[in-house]
Amino acid sequence: MKILLVQIKDFENSLENEIKFFFERKNFEVICKTFDLLETAMIPEILLIDSVSIDYMVGVGLAGFFVLSETNSNSRIVINPWFSPSQKLSQKRTISNDLLRTLKKIETKTYDWVDAEMRVATYGIFSPNAGSCDKEMFLKTYGRNMNRVENYSMEEENLCLELEKALKSFEHIASSNYWNYMPGPEPGLVNI
């Protein structure tokens, strides 16, 4: 199994080493890819191309946002993802207006294209100190009425347990049984 661990330069997170170690202990091949924020416009395209040869994408914080922007419906694990990076970064004086506009476009495209397959392929893990707005947006966009999303909070020391739950969730989804009873995002959706 191949894992793509996405990182954004200058926004790396201390959890990323623990994530890498968790997957390496399971004999997964972990590929770390670090992007510069100045490459923002190209990141979703590069991730789309890379997604063909990997099994899971993982991202923390700002990198989690870019993992969500990948539209190939690969299995994705996002940890404390930022839902509105343009808003969070607008308060930094060093961020250009062009970069903020590009982020806003990616945000719109990311959340306008979410379908049932993407919901099923996305697992979110949130620490207790994650922004409540980001948690609510995740629930609204990827989790509400979806039985497979069971845990929205975690203690940092339980990260490995949460990652294990994510993998088990994806194993369950891969079973043919799951697809017979796939829940829909809204009432009235026909079961597949």
Side-chain angles (χ1 to χ4, degrees):
M1 295 284 235
K2 286 186 180 179
I3 305 293
L4 179 61
L5 180 57
V6 179
Q7 301 172 320
I8 306 299
K9 187 178 176 185
D10 299 327
F11 290 88
E12 292 93 345
N13 191 290
S14 61
L15 294 177
E16 291 163 343
N17 287 332
E18 194 173 336
I19 293 165
K20 185 176 182 218
F21 184 64
F22 169 83
F23 285 112
E24 287 175 343
R25 278 195 325 248
K26 294 183 134 328
N27 293 320
F28 285 27
E29 180 183 347
V30 179
I31 301 161
C32 295
K33 193 157 209 170
T34 304
F35 294 96
D36 191 299
L37 195 55
L38 297 176
E39 301 172 300
T40 294
M42 299 180 336
I43 295 173
E45 295 171 29
I46 294 168
L47 291 179
L48 185 62
I49 293 166
D50 289 348
S51 70
V52 174
S53 63
I54 58 103
D55 298 294
Y56 299 99
M57 280 189 179
V58 182
V60 180
L62 180 56
F65 164 75
F66 286 106
V67 168
L68 292 173
S69 75
E70 186 276 317
T71 58
N72 205 17
S73 294
N74 276 14
S75 296
R76 307 177 269 210
I77 301 170
V78 291
I79 302 164
N80 298 332
W82 290 15
F83 262 76
S84 300
S86 63
Q87 186 177 10
K88 288 187 180 195
L89 293 173
S90 67
Q91 296 158 22
K92 293 186 179 234
R93 287 188 287 192
T94 58
I95 304 296
S96 74
N97 286 332
D98 286 342
L99 179 59
L100 294 174
R101 278 191 293 276
T102 301
L103 282 167
K104 191 68 176 160
K105 286 179 188 174
I106 295 170
E107 290 167 19
T108 301
K109 183 179 176 189
T110 297
Y111 306 128
D112 283 351
W113 286 80
V114 174
D115 60 12
E117 190 175 349
M118 288 178 179
R119 286 182 182 95
V120 168
T122 305
Y123 193 98
I125 301 171
F126 292 87
S127 63
N129 61 353
S132 61
C133 181
D134 291 333
K135 287 182 195 179
E136 284 302 313
M137 286 296 296
F138 181 85
L139 289 171
K140 181 179 176 190
T141 308
Y142 294 96
R144 198 159 314 282
N145 298 325
M146 299 297 285
N147 295 335
R148 56 166 282 290
V149 182
E150 298 173 358
N151 198 323
Y152 303 112
S153 63
M154 62 151 210
E155 300 287 328
E156 283 189 29
E157 61 269 11
N158 292 328
L159 179 59
C160 292
L161 178 64
E162 295 301 326
L163 290 171
E164 193 66 52
K165 285 181 185 179
L167 292 178
K168 287 192 186 311
S169 174
F170 291 130
E171 286 173 18
H172 175 67
I173 290 165
S175 75
S176 60
N177 224 8
Y178 177 85
W179 292 101
N180 292 329
Y181 306 101
M182 189 179 108
E186 297 177 20
L189 184 69
V190 177
N191 287 338
I192 297 174

